[in-house]
Amino acid sequence: MNKKTKKIIGVISILCVLVLIFDVLFILYKKKNSTGESNYFDSVNAFDKLDKGYITVGSNNGNKDSYEKAKIAKYDDKFQKEWEKFYNHGYNSTFHNVLATDDGYVAVGSFQKTKKEKKENTKTALFVKYDKDGKEEFSRTMQILGNSTFKNVKALDDGYIVVGQSIYENSTLGMSEEGGAIIVKYDKSGDIVWQDHYGGNKSGLYNDLVVTDQYIYVVGKDYGRTGIISKYTLDGTRLQTTTYEYTDTLGFTGITQIGDYLVVAGAKKLSKDEYDHEIDSLLVKYNDSLEKIDEITYDSDGLERFNTLTHDKDNNLIVVGHSAVLNEEKSTKEKNVYRYYGILAKYKENLKEVYVTQYGEGNNDYFTDIMTVKDYYLVSGYSKYKKEGYFSKFITYNQAGKMIQVK
């Protein structure tokens, strides 16, 4: 071996040692600066009552690739999980709502169907029918403008009504008038009977709906933080849409019917800036002609919104939402960081407040759905546990708003 070769080998050896030292130092740096907190996530986004137990949907990322996967799970009356199934197609996915049927369950949400959608963080709307054991019978997808999701589903005698949106991404230029907030009727076999849309192709969204003997009432939002409530015939003809200014970026997210009136939930925007730095929880009461009858707001120590609502046998409105309180220690001039608390509220039919109670210790607690079960109010949601991640939960309250148990 000549001197030149030895010199080259020596240089290469030194470089290899330097690379090794760099890798070790980088690993130690990452370890030192790591928060030590888990990224685990498990949520219940919605649930429905069964004869014995509950059917729930949400998402979970407890897989080797840490993809968020839509899940459906059945619980008994004591909230013990009987089975859980994941939608293992595509990449990230979630179910937003679920409906128990005579022969199984219907779940709606969205998933990233292709690598392109994963890269661009866009989604395809998803409708899945399961049998009573959680076996997938069929699934249907919808993609109109590039980013689509289904948010809610209700049953008819001959099918299902599904609502959501299909919009362009902000970076996409397009003139299509086919997207925005969407409403679709599927028959029992999962075939489309009719569909309609409303609103801007980058802003329209339908979040929730109620179905009466004659009409379908749908709530959501449109451009510029404008809340919307629309009225449809059962064959998909939109009769009218009433707008409300101004809401937050989600618009109206819940609706329930009491007698001849409709009550919708959301948040009211209080300032004219382009952000939601000042919002209060909002309930708005309409008649069946979509004329506003009354409204109330709830304000506490931060940003509040009502997410969804139902009513009990006495026609009291039972509402869940959240409060976001500024975390001054972690906030900066560039970014506000909040502590999230769950909210349970009760109002009379005339929107007179009975009580508003807050849940949590500021560790990020979210309430997602509400149902009256016998003489109790059952709330679903998920909470963050330091260093362990987010975990789903059920919370039972009595009619006076006192918490009975957490499961």
Side-chain angles (χ1 to χ4, degrees):
M1 183 182 297
N2 57 40
K3 292 182 179 180
K4 184 177 181 180
T5 303
K6 289 181 179 180
K7 187 176 181 179
I8 293 173
I9 293 174
V11 170
I12 293 174
S13 299
I14 292 172
L15 290 174
C16 290
V17 171
L18 290 174
V19 170
L20 180 61
I21 292 173
F22 175 81
D23 289 342
V24 171
L25 291 174
F26 181 75
I27 291 171
L28 291 174
Y29 171 80
K30 293 291 287 184
K31 185 176 181 180
K32 180 180 179 181
N33 288 276
S34 173
T35 62
E37 295 188 7
S38 170
N39 292 320
Y40 180 77
F41 180 83
D42 181 270
S43 73
V44 170
N45 293 332
F47 66 98
D48 202 3
K49 184 75 176 73
L50 307 176
D51 290 337
K52 294 183 179 181
Y54 305 90
I55 190 71
T56 73
V57 291
S59 62
N60 176 287
N61 70 350
N63 53 78
K64 65 178 183 179
D65 296 315
S66 294
Y67 288 136
E68 182 183 6
K69 288 296 184 181
K71 68 168 187 174
I72 181 170
K74 184 181 178 184
Y75 291 79
D76 64 19
D77 284 328
K78 296 181 179 179
F79 305 104
Q80 298 299 312
K81 190 182 296 181
E82 296 184 353
W83 53 256
E84 183 176 64
K85 310 287 184 179
F86 294 95
Y87 188 76
N88 287 313
H89 305 279
Y91 300 91
N92 294 296
S93 59
T94 188
F95 285 139
H96 294 297
N97 233 293
V98 64
L99 176 70
T101 68
D102 292 336
D103 59 348
Y105 321 105
V106 171
V108 297
S110 62
F111 77 125
Q112 292 173 337
K113 188 176 181 179
T114 64
K115 288 184 178 180
K116 183 175 184 291
E117 287 186 342
K118 179 178 180 294
K119 180 180 179 181
E120 297 177 352
N121 196 30
T122 56
K123 304 174 182 67
T124 292
L126 180 63
F127 172 99
V128 185
K129 176 66 168 59
Y130 292 92
D131 67 15
K132 289 194 172 184
D133 296 319
K135 180 180 179 181
E136 185 180 322
E137 293 186 348
F138 63 79
S139 64
R140 301 290 183 264
T141 63
M142 176 170 286
Q143 185 60 270
I144 302 173
L145 299 184
N147 193 17
S148 305
T149 186
F150 286 145
K151 302 290 286 186
N152 218 318
V153 57
K154 291 291 187 290
L156 296 176
D157 291 339
D158 58 348
Y160 312 98
I161 303 294
V162 182
V163 297
Q165 75 174 171
S166 186
I167 58 174
Y168 288 124
E169 278 297 280
N170 290 334
S171 59
T172 302
L173 299 177
M175 300 298 292
S176 173
E177 298 181 356
E178 298 300 315
I182 53 176
I183 178 170
V184 184
K185 180 180 179 181
Y186 288 96
D187 64 19
K188 295 287 187 177
S189 299
D191 296 323
I192 293 177
V193 179
W194 54 257
Q195 68 184 75
D196 189 50
H197 61 93
Y198 175 86
N201 57 30
K202 287 191 177 183
S203 59
L205 168 65
Y206 281 150
N207 285 309
D208 196 10
L209 72 159
V210 293
V211 180
T212 69
D213 293 337
Q214 293 181 293
Y215 302 107
I216 305 165
Y217 297 93
V218 194
V219 293
K221 69 105 177 181
D222 201 5
Y223 59 89
R225 292 171 169 78
T226 301
I228 55 175
I229 178 170
S230 296
K231 182 178 182 179
Y232 286 86
T233 63
L234 297 180
D235 63 2
T237 300
R238 185 172 62 88
L239 300 177
Q240 64 183 112
T241 295
T242 296
T243 61
Y244 179 98
E245 295 180 342
Y246 292 98
T247 66
D248 63 357
T249 55
L250 298 177
F252 292 151
T253 50
I255 181 172
T256 193
Q257 182 185 30
I258 298 181
D260 295 329
Y261 296 99
L262 303 156
V263 182
V264 305
K268 183 168 185 172
K269 184 175 174 62
L270 304 177
S271 61
K272 294 183 179 181
D273 64 16
E274 60 179 315
Y275 304 102
D276 292 335
H277 288 159
E278 293 184 71
I279 59 172
D280 287 344
S281 296
L282 173 69
L283 295 178
V284 186
K285 187 175 183 179
Y286 293 92
N287 63 21
D288 57 7
S289 297
L290 304 191
E291 297 170 325
K292 189 177 81 168
I293 304 301
D294 197 4
E295 71 172 77
I296 61 98
T297 58
Y298 169 75
D299 178 31
S300 184
D301 298 326
L303 310 179
E304 298 80 27
R305 89 171 326 274
F306 288 146
N307 294 325
T308 191
L309 73 168
T310 186
H311 60 85
D312 62 18
K313 62 182 180 181
D314 298 318
N315 281 345
N316 295 302
L317 294 162
I318 315 301
V319 194
V320 292
H322 67 258
S323 173
V325 179
L326 186 68
N327 187 332
E328 296 182 357
E329 293 181 358
K330 294 185 178 181
S331 295
T332 65
K333 292 182 178 180
E334 293 76 27
K335 183 180 180 180
N336 287 334
V337 178
Y338 295 92
R339 301 179 184 272
Y340 286 87
Y341 300 81
I343 291 177
L344 171 71
K346 183 174 182 176
Y347 290 85
K348 293 291 187 180
E349 183 179 355
N350 62 3
L351 301 190
K352 181 180 179 180
E353 180 184 312
V354 179
Y355 60 75
V356 179
T357 183
Q358 187 169 275
Y359 173 87
E361 298 179 353
N363 294 324
N364 292 354
D365 298 277
Y366 302 89
F367 285 172
T368 57
D369 203 1
I370 174 70
M371 180 180 293
T372 59
V373 179
K374 297 181 180 179
D375 293 327
Y376 298 95
Y377 305 140
L378 181 61
V379 177
S380 66
Y382 54 96
S383 297
K384 184 178 182 181
Y385 294 85
K386 191 173 182 180
K387 296 185 179 181
E388 296 181 14
Y390 287 87
F391 290 82
S392 57
K393 60 174 55 177
F394 287 98
I395 305 173
T396 305
Y397 290 87
N398 65 16
Q399 292 187 18
K402 180 181 178 180
M403 187 171 62
I404 303 300
Q405 68 174 0
V406 179
K407 289 286 188 177

